[in-house]
Amino acid sequence: MNRRVDELDEEGCEKVANYVREEWPKVTAATDEALNACSNNSDPMIKHYAESWVTLKRRMKCAIQSFSQKYEMPLI
């Protein structure tokens, strides 16, 4: 998908929606797993790994919410 989000037609919106529906649970699971690993380990690399997943999840959630509002398509 090389088009900008504000240029998506109905087919493009559906492709984005399907992608989000497939990937969001994976991101959520990976974030939970990373946070669990961090709570059981004091290794700074593990903490950095968990923080990275939390940041990714936060950014992805903001993007999904913006998309959902713009196209009136609730995704999460």
Side-chain angles (χ1 to χ4, degrees):
M1 281 182 248
N2 293 331
R3 293 178 286 175
R4 291 172 32 138
V5 172
D6 60 350
E7 299 171 355
L8 290 178
D9 56 13
E10 188 174 332
E11 181 183 349
C13 285
E14 195 56 39
K15 286 181 180 179
V16 170
N18 288 336
Y19 178 80
V20 168
R21 288 181 187 118
E22 289 177 24
E23 297 302 319
W24 181 250
K26 295 175 189 175
V27 170
T28 299
T31 302
D32 293 345
E33 183 180 321
L35 288 172
N36 187 42
C38 184
S39 68
N40 297 327
N41 194 319
S42 60
D43 183 338
M45 287 304 293
I46 299 291
K47 184 178 179 185
H48 176 72
Y49 173 74
E51 289 170 352
S52 296
W53 274 107
V54 169
T55 300
L56 173 67
K57 184 178 177 183
R58 186 180 315 118
R59 289 179 179 169
M60 191 172 173
K61 185 174 183 177
C62 288
I64 291 168
Q65 288 173 333
S66 294
F67 178 89
S68 295
Q69 288 174 349
K70 180 175 181 93
Y71 291 100
E72 298 176 358
M73 183 182 278
L75 298 176
I76 57 173

